[in-house]
Amino acid sequence: MTSALHDLLPKTRGTLTPQRDLSTLTWLRVGGPADFLFQPADRDDLAQFLAGLDASVGVFPMGVGSNLIVRDGGLRAVVIRLGRGFNTIAVEGSTVTAGAAALDAHVARKAAAAGVDLTFLRTIPGAIGGAVRMNAGCYGSYVADHLVSATAISRRGEILTLTPADLNLRYRRSDLAEGAVIVEATFTGAAAAPEVLERRMAEQIARRDESQPTKERTAGSTFRNPAGFSSTGRADDRHDLKAWKVIDDAGMRGATLGGAQMSPKHPNFLVNTGDASAADLETLGEEVRKKVFQNSGLTLEWEIMRVGEPAPDTSQDQ
């Protein structure tokens, strides 16, 4: 498959790596190989590559792998991963423009240093491209509240400027077209003293570290909150329709399967304790969904993206 696919790939100034193991690129450290990993040199290189790529070839834009399970059989596609040419951050007045590969935390810190409040990004794992695509949010603020526009390259290689309305941003969802790659986003934030913003971010980090397994191998929140919004962090925040609460009520806090575990510290975090396979993690997650439905009648929706194929069944070969 890889050799046949190679003949369909356009020339590029970037890097194309065949059969690239994706487990080293995901926070959960699981997953099989991609047919090819493409790291474009710059925006024009990416646009030209997509424009010249045969329409039959699958494409999967991948960020830093913070909210992702790649199944053990890998991905029959060209995985696109943006690198250094896509991680710039520029602040002008109350406007912050960041490349899609810029880490959310770095954007929050650089904005704060310039007196622009994008502090909600500080504790969100991942990079800006994924944050926009998923309308990431924390403590009652979302990307949709701050996004001015996003620049994306379509599967056909067209450079698009997208507004929040174009993306139809909502809780952990957007209408970004299949195969499109976000390359940059522009945000606006309220003005505030840098020291005030730094203090707020320090408090957020302390609160996160107290309640979440930040030292473990996780992918952030596993399931969307049935309530349809993120935790606000306020004293009047309700927990009855939070994913962690319904998982806890179903008796699945600390549940294990192979090397996978629902965190005893925060039961909406799926943990690779050391030797989990992607199948262990996904199967445990599905068991949690089953138990929650049996206990409360609620159907949990995955927040972690799961992609690729399961490992080949070798039992017939024995």
Side-chain angles (χ1 to χ4, degrees), residues 22 31-34 60 68-77 79 278 282 305-311:
L22 297 178
F60 178 70
L68 181 67
I69 292 174
V70 176
R71 295 187 177 105
D72 299 305
L75 265 169
R76 306 289 73 77
V79 171
E282 188 171 12
M305 182 180 289
R306 291 113 46 240
V307 298
E309 302 176 349

Side-chain angles (χ1 to χ4, degrees), residues 63-136:
V64 294
S66 61
N67 193 38
L68 181 67
I69 292 174
V70 176
R71 295 187 177 105
D72 299 305
L75 265 169
R76 306 289 73 77
V78 175
V79 171
I80 298 173
R81 193 165 195 258
L82 306 183
R84 289 183 180 177
F86 298 86
N87 66 357
T88 57
I89 305 169
V91 183
E92 185 174 343
S94 63
T95 299
V96 179
T97 299
L103 295 178
D104 300 332
H106 290 179
V107 174
R109 290 166 59 191
K110 187 153 187 178
V116 180
D117 185 1
L118 293 178
T119 53
F120 80 100
L121 288 170
R122 180 63 182 89
T123 56
I124 296 175
I128 287 298
V132 172
R133 187 186 63 79
M134 290 289 289
N135 187 27

Side-chain angles (χ1 to χ4, degrees), residues 129-145:
V132 172
R133 187 186 63 79
M134 290 289 289
N135 187 27
C138 192
Y139 303 128
S141 291
Y142 298 86
V143 163
D145 301 322

Side-chain angles (χ1 to χ4, degrees), residues 3 10 24 26 58 79 150 185 187 197 214 221 251 276:
S3 59
T24 60
T26 69
V79 171
F187 304 90
L197 299 177
T214 55
S221 296

Side-chain angles (χ1 to χ4, degrees), residues 138-140 142 171-172 207 212 221-250 253 266-269 288 292 295-296 298-301 303:
C138 192
Y139 303 128
Y142 298 86
Y171 177 60
R172 298 296 187 265
R207 192 184 314 165
Q212 299 176 9
S221 296
T222 304
F223 302 105
R224 299 182 172 107
N225 285 326
F229 53 86
S230 298
S231 297
T232 66
R234 296 191 299 264
D236 61 353
D237 198 7
R238 291 183 57 185
H239 301 293
D240 52 335
L241 287 179
K242 298 290 176 60
W244 75 263
K245 182 66 166 60
V246 298
I247 293 169
D248 206 13
D249 290 346
R253 181 190 290 264
H266 191 307
N268 194 29
F269 279 69
V288 168
V292 166
N295 186 63
S296 64
L298 294 170
T299 300
L300 287 176
E301 296 183 19
E303 184 167 325

Side-chain angles (χ1 to χ4, degrees), residues 10-288:
K11 292 191 185 313
T12 173
R13 290 179 288 109
T15 304
L16 272 168
T17 308
Q19 289 298 301
R20 176 60 159 89
D21 175 23
L22 297 178
S23 67
T24 60
L25 301 180
T26 69
W27 284 24
L28 281 167
R29 292 295 187 264
V30 296
D35 285 340
F36 280 89
L37 177 72
F38 174 45
Q39 296 166 285
D42 51 36
R43 186 184 301 191
D44 289 342
D45 188 38
L46 174 58
Q48 290 165 13
F49 180 86
L50 288 172
L53 185 63
D54 191 286
S56 66
V57 178
V59 164
F60 178 70
M62 178 180 177
V64 294
S66 61
N67 193 38
L68 181 67
I69 292 174
V70 176
R71 295 187 177 105
D72 299 305
L75 265 169
R76 306 289 73 77
V78 175
V79 171
I80 298 173
R81 193 165 195 258
L82 306 183
R84 289 183 180 177
F86 298 86
N87 66 357
T88 57
I89 305 169
V91 183
E92 185 174 343
S94 63
T95 299
V96 179
T97 299
L103 295 178
D104 300 332
H106 290 179
V107 174
R109 290 166 59 191
K110 187 153 187 178
V116 180
D117 185 1
L118 293 178
T119 53
F120 80 100
L121 288 170
R122 180 63 182 89
T123 56
I124 296 175
I128 287 298
V132 172
R133 187 186 63 79
M134 290 289 289
N135 187 27
C138 192
Y139 303 128
S141 291
Y142 298 86
V143 163
D145 301 322
H146 299 272
L147 183 69
V148 176
S149 65
T151 303
I153 299 178
S154 75
R155 175 59 181 83
R156 296 193 297 270
E158 306 156 307
I159 298 178
L160 308 172
T161 299
L162 304 171
T163 66
D166 294 330
L167 289 165
N168 189 23
L169 299 173
R170 52 217 187 271
Y171 177 60
R172 298 296 187 265
R173 289 183 172 89
S174 74
D175 288 347
L176 183 68
E178 187 77 19
V181 184
I182 293 172
V183 294
E184 188 177 82
T186 298
F187 304 90
T188 187
E195 59 271 19
V196 171
L197 299 177
E198 289 290 348
R199 187 162 57 248
R200 183 181 304 163
M201 291 189 295
E203 291 169 354
Q204 290 173 349
I205 292 168
R207 192 184 314 165
R208 179 198 64 185
D209 291 349
E210 183 179 344
S211 63
Q212 299 176 9
T214 55
K215 306 298 186 191
E216 305 289 344
R217 204 176 279 174
T218 78
S221 296
T222 304
F223 302 105
R224 299 182 172 107
N225 285 326
F229 53 86
S230 298
S231 297
T232 66
R234 296 191 299 264
D236 61 353
D237 198 7
R238 291 183 57 185
H239 301 293
D240 52 335
L241 287 179
K242 298 290 176 60
W244 75 263
K245 182 66 166 60
V246 298
I247 293 169
D248 206 13
D249 290 346
M252 296 300 285
R253 181 190 290 264
T256 61
L257 178 70
Q261 182 183 44
M262 301 309 296
S263 170
K265 187 172 188 178
H266 191 307
N268 194 29
F269 279 69
L270 190 55
V271 178
N272 180 353
T273 62
D275 60 353
S277 64
D280 289 341
L281 293 160
E282 188 171 12
T283 303
L284 178 58
E286 287 298 324
E287 182 65 17
V288 168

